[in-house]
Amino acid sequence: MVEKYLFGSPFETEAVTEQIPAVSDIGAIPYGKISVENGFCFQYQMEDTDVIYGLGEANRGINKRGYKYVSHCTDDPNHTEEKTSLYGAHNFIVVSGKQHIGFFFDYPSTISFDIGYTKQDLLTISCSRADLYLYVIIGESAYDVVKQFRKIIGKSYVAPKYAFGFGQSRWGYKSAADIETVVQRYRENQVPIDMVYLDIDYMQDYKDFTVNEERFPAFGQFVQEMKDKKIHLIPIIDAGVKIEKGYDIYEEGVEKGYFCKREDGSEFVASVWPGWTHFPDVLNPDARAWFGGKYEILTSLGIDGFWNDMNEPAIFYTEEGIRALNQAIVEHVKTFGIDKMIDNPDAIPFDARGILEQIQNNSEDYKRFYHNVNGKMVRHDLVHNLFGYNMTRAAGEALKKIAPDKKMLLFSRSSYIGMHRYGGIWTGDNQSWWSHILLNLKMMPSLNMCGFLYTGADLGGFGSDTTRDLLLRWLALGVFTPLMRNHTALGTREQECYQFEQIEDFRHVIGVRYRLIPYLYSTYIKSVQQDAMYFRPLGFDFAEDRRAVETEDQLLLGDEAMIAPVYTQNVSGRTIYLPEEMMFVKFLPDGTIHEEILAQGTHYVEVALNEVPLFIRKGKCIPIVDVAQNVDAIDISTMKYLGYDGAAYTLAE
């Protein structure tokens, strides 16, 4: 059962696609206490045994109890435990205990979730304006609530099958020669690969929809040469459009009024990678169609996949920020003198350092520009969380017109519920930390709850220097995530698989991914078709088993399997809990498969660095095939079934 409640004058986010009549009488809501006197505040008394699921791309655990979270799309690469906001805003939670209730707060600005942080038994959701829709979903189980929610927000994006291959990326591939080297090294070492990603260096001066012709000459020909080698090139598109005379996209956007404006009607200016930029007004349907149409510049050259970045939108600084920084420097020079500052700058409490951090993604800057929504000027901070969603919507809608019969790869950094219909997401700029393998694992089911099925993290870590064992363990998790991409930052250790000794271990682990692609893609398609979850917490299927409910480092995969990756350094295995009998499977480096029936209960399983563990649920089986060097080369005729005798599996395409 789904109920919709109306408060004030909500902004129409189009997150929900089903037409549901709204009730405006707040007294009719029997599920919690609501106040609209000073903004909006919803409070719900939690039972001791209630588990709180949801919030999509959020920090910490699968059960969100005991902390606070803020939906405010934020460009912050340091995903430490105290962070309350990340790149996405996914305002859906499920209270699961004696009763099962879902709440979706359709509100496009900053909204806070205090889930037993201030008072351990009190759930408090609050925002500054009482203008929103609240959807309440009553179900028979947590999974039933999720399925009902998924039904009202529309079908999830379907990625092309090649996008389930392995991809290699690095911020720092600067030329066609760099890409050719990557492909050559993977192919000569027989490590399977389908994609190489192009970060910002492929562009001319970081300008969207351009290619640096000196470093990537005859780009269309190069794209085809890569396709001949079964490699898809996936370029990045950023949110900011460079201000430059002669740059046709800039000039056309200004002429047509398609960029975000200041209150006085002038174009808003902010600095991002290209320097001074304008932001396309993707909340304006005409501007959205215009910007999306520009993707054809690259699809006409053979490109069939994109990743959208910097679309929170990220702001390095504005004119106001620079003025504040300059003023801080002037004041300190007056106080300390320039010589003292030069001789011993660390001895001075130099506020300009703090100001430099403060001027990035500054909340005041988000109040300085506006969107044209149906002729009405809407201040950006009031709809901030919709920008990444609508940038990717622009691309998704355009790509369907450009190539209506072709599936294109598309995913984004920033998102809001609703964007799941147009593309997937990756979880942003993580670090080469063991704790981030676990964070990656815990985010996956929460994202699935909100409709995001094509998801994954930067395997090996984006920031910091990875290690051989960290990368191997992370890849063994990435074998199962729909997006499997090794990506790292400029200035970090090179972490392509061939950079490490005993390359055969990487060849094997990634090879397991290709053996499983028929099953993984089939599970993905079924999840789309059935409004189901690709990954689920154990508690969804074993709600009466408290140990299962509290297990957060194992996930159910589809209806047939469970994953339990190793995420700890210098160990030979891990402890697992089985809520039912399962078959423990290990893909061994010699190509054989270890199979062992384990009874319900706790077990310690040994998993070497070059092994991939998987558990098959009782009475189930999954299809596997022989290893292939790319998705197109998978030979379905080699398919056999792994799991319990007598079990059957139906493949979905």
Side-chain angles (χ1 to χ4, degrees):
M1 180 179 71
V2 180
E3 299 172 345
K4 176 181 180 181
Y5 296 91
L6 166 68
F7 299 89
S9 301
F11 186 89
E12 299 294 337
T13 68
E14 299 180 68
V16 173
T17 57
E18 277 204 2
Q19 295 298 316
I20 301 170
V23 177
S24 57
D25 177 12
I26 65 172
I29 304 179
Y31 312 107
K33 180 181 178 182
I34 291 179
S35 170
V36 294
E37 292 179 5
N38 297 298
F40 175 86
C41 181
F42 171 86
Q43 292 188 316
Y44 179 92
Q45 195 74 33
M46 295 183 290
E47 300 281 349
D48 290 344
T49 56
D50 281 346
V51 176
I52 311 300
Y53 295 111
L55 292 184
E57 186 185 46
N59 214 340
R60 297 196 171 217
I62 294 175
N63 183 354
K64 297 299 188 291
R65 266 191 99 144
Y67 203 57
K68 54 186 177 180
Y69 308 86
V70 179
S71 283
H72 177 79
C73 297
T74 303
D75 174 21
D76 183 348
N78 299 309
H79 306 167
T80 46
E81 279 195 30
E82 82 280 7
K83 296 300 172 64
T84 57
S85 300
L86 296 176
Y87 302 101
H90 308 131
N91 308 334
F92 172 63
I93 60 171
V94 180
V95 178
S96 180
K98 293 179 181 177
Q99 56 184 346
H100 306 281
I101 307 178
F103 299 101
F104 173 45
F105 300 86
D106 192 4
Y107 181 77
S109 189
T110 302
I111 183 168
S112 299
F113 294 78
D114 182 328
I115 308 178
Y117 173 78
T118 301
K119 193 171 183 295
Q120 66 178 10
D121 62 348
L122 191 63
L123 166 65
T124 303
I125 294 92
S126 57
C127 50
S128 63
R129 297 165 70 96
D131 297 310
L132 71 155
Y133 292 114
L134 168 58
Y135 294 83
V136 181
I137 306 170
I138 310 298
E140 297 178 356
S141 65
Y143 200 11
D144 180 40
V145 170
V146 168
K147 285 189 171 184
Q148 290 186 64
F149 178 63
R150 290 276 304 282
K151 185 175 186 294
I152 69 170
I153 61 175
K155 295 296 183 187
S156 298
Y157 158 79
V158 177
K161 186 175 281 190
Y162 83 75
F164 276 69
F166 173 71
Q168 178 61 54
S169 184
R170 180 179 177 86
W171 173 21
Y173 295 154
K174 295 184 180 296
S175 67
D178 289 344
I179 305 301
E180 288 171 338
T181 297
V182 171
V183 173
Q184 179 184 347
R185 294 295 303 277
Y186 269 98
R187 289 288 186 238
E188 69 188 12
N189 284 290
Q190 295 185 299
V191 179
I193 186 171
D194 270 88
M195 293 164 285
V196 177
Y197 290 79
L198 305 179
D199 212 313
I200 55 177
D201 292 309
Y202 83 92
M203 302 180 198
Q204 179 65 51
D205 302 323
Y206 305 139
K207 292 184 290 189
D208 280 340
F209 311 112
T210 68
V211 177
N212 186 303
E213 295 181 0
E214 181 179 344
R215 291 186 270 117
F216 289 88
F219 186 67
Q221 180 180 331
F222 178 61
V223 171
Q224 185 57 52
E225 289 171 358
M226 289 294 104
K227 283 190 174 181
D228 292 343
K229 297 178 180 179
K230 301 300 182 180
I231 296 293
H232 298 260
L233 297 180
I234 314 297
I236 197 169
I237 302 294
D238 281 350
V241 173
K242 183 176 177 61
I243 298 172
E244 179 181 280
K245 287 186 177 180
Y247 174 32
D248 57 350
I249 293 174
Y250 157 71
E251 292 189 338
E252 186 178 337
V254 171
E255 178 188 352
K256 295 186 176 182
Y258 285 161
F259 294 125
C260 293
K261 301 282 197 299
R262 284 182 176 266
E263 190 172 14
D264 65 5
S266 63
E267 276 81 9
F268 177 73
V269 179
S271 177
V272 202
W273 290 117
W276 294 117
T277 67
H278 293 324
F279 293 136
D281 186 1
V282 289
L283 270 66
N284 175 347
D286 293 336
R288 187 165 62 239
W290 167 78
F291 188 76
K294 298 304 177 184
Y295 284 75
E296 190 169 10
I297 294 171
L298 293 171
T299 61
S300 68
L301 298 174
I303 293 296
D304 54 9
F306 299 90
W307 50 308
N308 288 341
D309 196 14
M310 305 297 287
N311 54 356
E312 290 70 36
I315 294 176
F316 291 171
Y317 51 81
T318 60
E319 179 182 330
E320 287 85 352
I322 290 297
R323 290 186 187 280
L325 180 63
N326 287 343
Q327 186 61 35
I329 294 172
V330 168
E331 293 300 322
H332 275 275
V333 170
K334 286 180 182 178
T335 304
F336 297 103
I338 189 68
D339 292 335
K340 186 176 180 182
M341 290 175 66
I342 292 171
D343 293 341
N344 191 15
D346 290 336
I348 302 167
F350 188 28
D351 290 345
R353 291 195 195 102
I355 289 176
L356 186 59
E357 294 179 0
Q358 293 171 24
I359 67 176
Q360 296 179 1
N361 306 311
N362 185 280
S363 59
E364 292 303 310
D365 285 332
Y366 291 127
K367 297 176 183 178
R368 293 187 171 110
F369 66 99
Y370 290 74
H371 298 274
N372 178 357
V373 182
N374 300 320
K376 180 182 178 181
M377 300 306 290
V378 177
R379 204 173 72 194
H380 172 80
D381 65 305
L382 303 180
V383 291
H384 171 75
N385 292 335
L386 300 181
F387 192 93
Y389 158 25
N390 280 280
M391 178 186 174
T392 301
R393 177 181 179 180
E397 290 176 337
L399 291 172
K400 284 188 176 181
K401 293 179 180 178
I402 292 166
D405 299 322
K406 185 175 184 179
K407 292 185 178 72
M408 296 272 193
L409 174 57
L410 182 62
F411 60 92
S412 171
R413 190 170 74 177
S414 182
S415 60
Y416 184 84
I417 291 171
M419 199 206 82
H420 70 284
R421 300 191 295 270
Y422 303 98
I425 67 171
W426 93 102
T427 56
D429 298 344
N430 58 10
Q431 300 285 329
S432 297
W433 300 339
W434 288 90
S435 62
H436 276 190
I437 300 181
L438 187 57
L439 180 60
N440 177 184
L441 181 75
K442 290 181 178 182
M443 278 187 187
M444 294 297 102
S446 300
L447 285 165
N448 281 192
M449 293 176 203
C450 298
F452 294 94
L453 299 180
Y454 189 78
T455 57
D458 288 342
L459 304 176
F462 180 74
S464 308
D465 293 326
T466 198
T467 60
R468 181 179 185 274
D469 56 344
L470 174 64
L471 180 56
L472 277 167
R473 291 299 195 196
W474 213 330
L475 286 169
L477 165 58
V479 160
F480 302 103
T481 60
L483 170 61
M484 186 185 188
R485 179 177 75 153
N486 177 340
H487 182 46
T488 190
L490 186 70
T492 63
R493 179 182 189 177
E494 293 180 320
Q495 66 182 47
E496 296 85 2
C497 295
Y498 54 76
Q499 303 288 356
F500 301 91
E501 71 269 26
Q502 294 175 271
I503 298 173
E504 63 271 18
D505 290 345
F506 293 90
R507 179 187 308 129
H508 166 64
V509 171
I510 294 173
V512 172
R513 165 63 165 222
Y514 283 76
R515 299 195 70 180
L516 289 169
I517 282 177
Y519 171 63
L520 299 177
Y521 194 69
S522 174
T523 301
Y524 177 84
I525 294 299
K526 289 178 180 179
S527 299
V528 172
Q529 293 172 343
Q530 299 168 14
D531 297 320
M533 293 171 65
Y534 179 96
F535 286 124
R536 295 191 307 285
L538 268 61
F540 270 39
D541 287 41
F542 303 96
E544 302 306 315
D545 183 339
R546 197 65 194 176
R547 177 78 183 274
V549 171
E550 293 175 358
T551 297
E552 296 204 349
D553 58 356
Q554 304 167 204
L555 297 178
L556 298 174
L557 169 59
D559 292 329
E560 298 79 21
M562 183 187 79
I563 64 170
V566 178
Y567 54 88
T568 307
Q569 189 173 19
N570 297 324
V571 297
S572 57
R574 58 161 291 176
T575 299
I576 54 101
Y577 172 69
L578 300 183
E580 64 180 2
E581 176 194 298
M582 293 188 190
M583 179 182 289
F584 173 45
V585 168
K586 280 195 299 185
F587 292 86
L588 305 176
D590 63 0
T592 62
I593 299 174
H594 168 84
E595 302 174 62
E596 177 184 0
I597 300 293
L598 297 179
Q600 184 273 340
T602 301
H603 304 267
Y604 183 85
V605 294
E606 293 187 351
V607 183
L609 277 174
N610 57 5
E611 297 174 345
V612 179
L614 179 64
F615 296 81
I616 309 295
R617 296 184 65 177
K618 185 177 181 179
K620 303 288 186 177
C621 69
I622 65 170
I624 59 171
V625 292
D626 288 351
V627 176
Q629 289 298 297
N630 57 77
V631 170
D632 282 351
I634 290 174
D635 185 354
I636 296 298
S637 70
T638 65
M639 185 179 294
K640 57 185 179 180
Y641 293 89
L642 180 63
Y644 285 82
D645 292 338
Y649 181 85
T650 302
L651 201 66
E653 288 288 345

